[in-house]
Amino acid sequence: MELSESVQRGLQSLADQSVFDHGSFQVLVDVSFRSLLSSHGDPTVLDQPEFKQIDQILLKQSHTAAVTFILEAVKQNADQSTISSSLEELTFSADRTEIFYSAYQKHKKDLECLLASIGRGLPHITDASWRLEYHMKNGQVDKINDSFYLISLNTENEGSSEDINFTCTVEQLQDLVGKLKDAAKTMEKASQM
Amino acid sequence: MEEVDKILIHALKQVGTEVPEEINSVKQFSSELIVEAVVRCIRVIDPGLSSTLATSLPPGMSARFRVGMSLAQACQDIGYKGELGYQTFLYSSEPEIRSLLMFLVEKLPRESAETSDQPTGKSVVLERTIAAAIKAHLAVPWLPPKCRLPLNCETQRQGVMHSFHVQPLSLTNCTKGSSKRHTKGSPPTHGQPVQGVTYFPLKACLSVCVCVQQELPPVAKTIPTNHQSEGDVQLGQQEELAYLQQQFQQLCSEVDHLAVLDELKQRELRNSEKEEKIQVKKKTIDLLPDADNNLLKLQALVEASAKRVVNLASQWEKHRAPLVDEYRRLKDICSSKDSSKKLSEIKSLHEKIRVSTEEAKKKEDAYKQLVTELENLPQDASRSAYTQRILEIVSNIKKQKEEITKILSDTKELQKEINNLTGKLDRTFAVTDELVFKDAKKDETVRKSYKYLAALHENCNQLIQTIEDTGTILREIRDLEEQIETENGNKTVANLERILEDYKAIRQENASLAAKVREG
């Protein structure tokens, strides 16, 4: 994992025993995870009694660095060896690494869900129903023997479902099915890289 | 031979030939199997050549003959440098088939070599993780929304999506003011300048100003923003103005007050200084009546103190000189070339340590990647078993070579001995012959012994000759036995019978074709 200069500095000051002693280190780790996971951001999250002794600018830097590191680790799905080696490079002692990693393990699933839910998504198709229509004649022409499909796709988006209705001829439907098959084949190819 | 056959059969199975389970060696290959194997290999090696070839032998004899010829032609086009003809496929012999199959299997394109050359760059790693993740998601079966368990909700259902927004974070501001408040607690020492004490009150009033300023905007906000009436607005503004002026007056008075305090403190200091001077002057006045004595005493005191100063200075010099020398010495050492060399060495060592840690990290990454690649590679027939066997065979051959050289040297020794002995024998015989012959003319018994000697020599020669003949004959027997074995492997008898049958079949086909031609 490659971290920027400011994040490295913040983490190094977090590892420093003289700046953060054991209790305040634990509290900062908890606070960092909590500030990521709480559903509405809490502006006063750094207002803990253990932090009164620490220079506030340093506290902010360490908090930012810790939060960035956590997000980066969850993004890259880092395993224990990666995290431990990165922390040890930044002069973390073994027990602090242990504390950090156990907290990370506890909250990893929630953080992954959180990161995955940021963004936009298109509706998913869950069901399809069809009807075949046959035009025999209309007011202008006496004999049209033509068949149409009426397709209704049931889609679901973020829990709410809606229907997409359209009509198409047989050739257009074949085209659509061909495109779906192409899409499936592309996914197969992508998974075999 | 069995290992070679196993490798060949495994390679043929990979190409797609259906080799039945009980066949373990090339000797047991039937003609159909041979043809199928060869055709599949040719298909993989060179698809263009194999367009006309089928994997199975046609039933008709002439068709089989044609297929055999075309196969032989195809193999020679690929580059096989041995004798090939339809007979290698239809009436096969083990060594020919083995060499042909080995040639074809070697020609098979090596797919495995390409995958190991892939670069281990970061984008490739990322692509591979993406592919693995997509594969994992594709493997989970799709369920309609009513049947979904929470397990699938990650990939198959969408939760509420958030957009990205920013949240400010604030801290209670208790910055450098706290450190200054601590200094307020310590009592001002005598010599400490007054500024420390005055700074705090100024700062306090400044902070008071700041607080007041912060309070002002809320006051300003309480001004009614809705325009009720001009008069009301003006009234409100005037009230605010009065209040502000009051505040201002307060602040001015506080500042004055503080300035007054400042003056007070300075005056007190000056007073204390003047008091000191007064004390000194009082003492001198006291000493005045007994002026001469006191003067002498004072002079003596002054001299004594001057002497003390000189003494102390000399002592200090004594201490100072060696320290200065020490300092100069150390400075020289520092700046001398040796230490600078050592410094540069230390720097280069640090550099090397850094470089080697980087390399070690890179190699560890590469190792991790290669381990994952190794796990992903398809599990072929174990290479390690083959390499083991190859190494065993190599060591066996080495041992055999040693034994052969030993035997050769033994043989040479024996030959030398034989030559020696024959030479000795001839010489001894010549000498005895002469000796006895000289005496044989005179004595009868000597003549008899000479005849016996000659007969003995003759018989021993014959013995030696027979032994040599036996040896040659034994060698010939061994050669002939080897030839018999190889000829037996050719199964010539069975092949000849088959050739005869096929010949009869071809004649029949020809006859029937000729009859058909005559009829119609």
Side-chain angles (χ1 to χ4, degrees):
Chain A
M1 281 204 294
E2 292 178 357
L3 304 165
S4 69
E5 277 287 326
S6 56
V7 173
Q8 281 179 0
R9 261 183 280 131
L11 283 174
Q12 269 169 350
S13 64
L14 182 61
D16 197 357
Q17 306 268 3
S18 59
V19 178
F20 283 90
D21 64 346
H22 197 75
S24 51
F25 175 80
Q26 179 81 43
V27 174
L28 185 68
V29 167
D30 287 337
V31 156
S32 315
F33 279 102
R34 205 162 6 115
S35 55
L36 282 173
L37 287 171
S38 57
S39 54
H40 29 266
D42 185 11
T44 58
V45 73
L46 284 178
D47 239 349
Q48 305 284 339
E50 286 89 348
F51 294 154
K52 289 276 187 277
Q53 315 297 326
I54 308 171
D55 178 23
Q56 299 295 314
I57 297 180
L58 212 57
L59 178 66
K60 261 196 186 175
Q61 279 175 346
S62 312
H63 177 253
T64 323
V67 167
T68 317
F69 182 76
I70 293 168
L71 283 177
E72 201 50 43
V74 174
K75 247 197 273 179
Q76 293 180 8
N77 200 14
D79 56 353
Q80 179 171 22
S81 60
T82 324
I83 294 183
S84 325
S85 56
S86 321
L87 288 179
E88 271 160 19
E89 263 174 51
L90 298 163
T91 72
F92 267 67
S93 64
D95 54 342
R96 289 198 174 191
T97 317
E98 192 53 46
I99 294 173
F100 189 86
Y101 184 68
S102 49
Y104 171 78
Q105 278 288 82
K106 218 171 32 165
H107 298 285
K108 181 170 166 177
K109 205 92 182 112
D110 299 327
L111 284 168
E112 275 178 11
C113 283
L114 185 71
L115 283 180
S117 73
I118 295 179
R120 295 198 200 96
L122 296 167
H124 290 189
I125 296 180
T126 53
D127 206 356
S129 51
W130 58 273
R131 214 171 79 196
L132 181 59
E133 249 186 15
Y134 193 66
H135 282 191
M136 293 175 46
K137 50 163 113 179
N138 66 13
Q140 282 81 38
V141 182
D142 245 357
K143 191 165 120 186
I144 325 168
N145 293 339
D146 231 350
S147 54
F148 285 86
Y149 276 98
L150 297 171
I151 312 269
S152 163
L153 295 173
N154 186 321
T155 66
E156 187 189 83
N157 188 7
E158 300 178 15
S160 67
S161 70
E162 62 178 289
D163 281 349
I164 300 179
N165 303 321
F166 60 92
T167 66
C168 54
T169 61
V170 179
E171 291 86 17
Q172 287 167 337
L173 193 63
Q174 276 171 349
D175 207 10
L176 178 67
V177 171
K179 287 226 166 63
L180 288 172
K181 283 193 188 151
D182 275 344
K185 269 193 217 140
T186 320
M187 285 300 288
E188 286 278 337
K189 245 192 272 177
S191 74
Q192 256 146 30
M193 265 279 223
Chain B
M1 279 304 145
E2 307 89 43
E3 284 114 5
V4 176
D5 285 351
K6 266 196 216 150
I7 296 174
L8 279 175
I9 291 174
H10 179 79
L12 291 175
K13 275 191 193 154
Q14 273 195 327
V15 174
T17 325
E18 285 157 19
V19 182
E21 285 301 320
E22 58 271 5
I23 293 194
N24 280 340
S25 75
V26 175
K27 210 194 267 188
Q28 300 163 345
F29 272 31
S30 65
S31 310
E32 286 90 11
L33 197 54
I34 293 171
V35 167
E36 190 188 341
V38 170
V39 169
R40 279 200 205 272
C41 289
I42 294 178
R43 271 196 198 152
V44 175
I45 295 172
D46 192 350
L49 274 180
S50 65
S51 47
T52 52
L53 299 170
T55 44
S56 56
L57 276 181
M61 201 50 234
S62 46
R64 281 200 202 187
F65 173 73
R66 248 179 287 134
V67 164
M69 286 305 298
S70 51
L71 268 182
Q73 187 61 40
C75 289
Q76 276 184 337
D77 284 343
I78 291 180
Y80 184 63
K81 285 187 186 63
E83 270 192 39
L84 273 185
Y86 67 94
Q87 71 275 9
T88 27
F89 302 103
L90 298 174
Y91 316 114
S92 48
S93 71
E94 189 189 347
E96 284 180 14
I97 291 295
R98 187 172 286 130
S99 60
L100 177 65
L101 283 175
M102 280 204 293
F103 170 78
L104 285 174
V105 166
E106 266 175 46
K107 279 271 176 180
L108 284 176
R110 299 269 166 82
E111 301 134 1
S112 56
E114 289 164 15
T115 54
S116 59
D117 292 344
Q118 269 175 11
T120 57
K122 288 214 172 92
S123 59
V124 179
V125 171
L126 182 64
E127 277 177 28
R128 278 202 213 132
T129 38
I130 291 175
I134 293 180
K135 215 188 240 176
H137 284 195
L138 282 176
V140 177
W142 184 86
L143 294 173
K146 314 289 181 202
C147 315
R148 272 179 206 155
L149 305 171
L151 288 172
N152 300 340
C153 74
E154 275 180 22
T155 59
Q156 291 182 6
R157 198 191 55 159
Q158 280 173 319
V160 182
M161 299 301 241
H162 314 287
S163 58
F164 192 68
H165 58 274
V166 186
Q167 183 84 30
L169 194 65
S170 74
L171 291 170
T172 57
N173 42 358
C174 44
T175 50
K176 298 189 184 132
S178 64
S179 53
K180 278 291 182 220
R181 282 202 199 108
H182 281 294
T183 61
K184 176 197 169 212
S186 60
T189 56
H190 190 74
Q192 194 159 67
V194 184
Q195 286 92 357
V197 186
T198 51
Y199 187 57
F200 166 66
L202 271 174
K203 183 96 185 251
C205 85
L206 278 175
S207 59
V208 165
C209 288
V210 164
C211 290
V212 164
Q213 268 177 359
Q214 279 175 350
E215 279 171 9
L216 281 180
V219 168
K221 277 188 194 142
T222 58
I223 300 174
T225 50
N226 44 1
H227 304 279
Q228 288 169 345
S229 67
E230 285 276 327
D232 277 347
V233 169
Q234 273 199 2
L235 254 176
Q237 281 181 343
Q238 275 179 357
E239 278 179 8
E240 191 211 336
L241 191 63
Y243 180 67
L244 285 173
Q245 276 183 341
Q246 237 186 20
Q247 292 272 340
F248 183 61
Q249 293 293 335
Q250 255 186 1
L251 287 172
C252 286
S253 61
E254 273 186 40
V255 168
D256 289 335
H257 188 67
L258 289 170
V260 162
L261 273 175
D262 198 19
E263 269 287 312
L264 243 171
K265 294 273 161 55
Q266 277 183 344
R267 288 232 177 119
E268 270 185 29
L269 246 191
R270 267 184 259 145
N271 284 349
S272 56
E273 281 176 15
K274 286 193 180 153
E275 269 189 30
E276 276 186 28
K277 283 192 203 156
I278 290 173
Q279 292 282 344
V280 168
K281 289 206 173 138
K282 242 194 200 172
K283 279 192 192 154
T284 44
I285 288 171
D286 287 336
L287 286 174
L288 262 179
D290 201 8
D292 294 328
N293 271 347
N294 287 340
L295 203 62
L296 281 171
K297 277 192 211 158
L298 279 174
Q299 271 182 344
L301 265 176
V302 165
E303 280 175 17
S305 54
K307 271 192 216 154
R308 231 192 339 193
V309 165
V310 165
N311 199 3
L312 284 171
S314 63
Q315 278 186 359
W316 165 238
E317 265 306 311
K318 257 192 267 176
H319 278 283
R320 199 180 82 102
L323 286 175
V324 164
D325 288 333
E326 184 75 20
Y327 172 69
R328 285 214 192 103
R329 193 178 63 87
L330 287 172
K331 216 177 171 184
D332 285 335
I333 290 178
C334 242
S335 60
S336 77
K337 293 189 192 139
D338 275 341
S339 65
S340 66
K341 234 198 303 178
K342 279 189 191 157
L343 250 160
S344 55
E345 269 180 39
I346 290 175
K347 273 191 202 146
S348 63
L349 264 175
H350 273 298
E351 196 50 44
K352 271 188 220 164
I353 288 174
R354 203 179 50 84
V355 164
S356 40
T357 38
E358 274 182 30
E359 270 183 44
K361 237 191 278 176
K362 267 190 234 160
K363 293 224 172 118
E364 265 195 43
D365 285 335
Y367 170 70
K368 266 191 222 164
Q369 248 184 334
L370 286 172
V371 161
T372 47
E373 250 184 80
L374 181 70
E375 284 165 22
N376 286 344
L377 275 182
Q379 292 292 346
D380 279 351
S382 55
R383 271 182 72 187
S384 54
Y386 287 143
T387 40
Q388 284 264 11
R389 274 198 225 134
I390 289 174
L391 288 171
E392 275 178 34
I393 291 175
V394 165
S395 61
N396 275 349
I397 290 178
K398 249 196 240 174
K399 271 189 232 160
Q400 281 180 351
K401 215 174 176 185
E402 277 177 29
E403 279 179 27
I404 289 176
T405 34
K406 230 195 331 177
I407 290 177
L408 276 177
S409 57
D410 279 345
T411 325
K412 272 195 213 147
E413 287 275 339
L414 274 176
Q415 191 67 37
K416 261 196 232 168
E417 254 195 70
I418 291 175
N419 288 346
N420 267 348
L421 286 173
T422 7
K424 232 201 245 179
L425 177 69
D426 283 337
R427 284 193 298 269
T428 352
F429 180 66
V431 167
T432 10
D433 194 34
E434 263 194 57
L435 213 57
V436 175
F437 193 68
K438 260 195 270 180
D439 291 336
K441 291 182 201 157
K442 306 161 201 166
D443 213 349
E444 189 54 46
T445 41
V446 178
R447 214 178 293 160
K448 253 199 251 175
S449 58
Y450 179 73
K451 276 194 208 147
Y452 284 148
L453 176 70
L456 179 66
H457 188 74
E458 193 62 43
N459 290 339
C460 289
N461 267 348
Q462 266 187 357
L463 259 175
I464 292 173
Q465 195 62 39
T466 355
I467 291 175
E468 282 183 14
D469 285 341
T470 334
T472 7
I473 291 179
L474 275 172
R475 276 201 301 260
E476 274 181 34
I477 289 177
R478 242 181 290 140
D479 287 340
L480 282 171
E481 276 177 6
E482 270 186 45
Q483 275 188 352
I484 289 173
E485 264 194 52
T486 43
E487 281 304 317
N488 271 345
N490 278 347
K491 7 180 221 188
T492 9
V493 175
N495 278 345
L496 279 173
E497 284 180 14
R498 277 164 67 189
I499 288 175
L500 271 175
E501 281 180 25
D502 294 338
Y503 170 65
K504 279 189 209 150
I506 286 187
R507 281 193 76 164
Q508 273 181 357
E509 278 181 22
N510 283 351
S512 61
L513 281 173
K516 267 201 206 151
V517 165
R518 257 181 268 130
E519 279 175 29

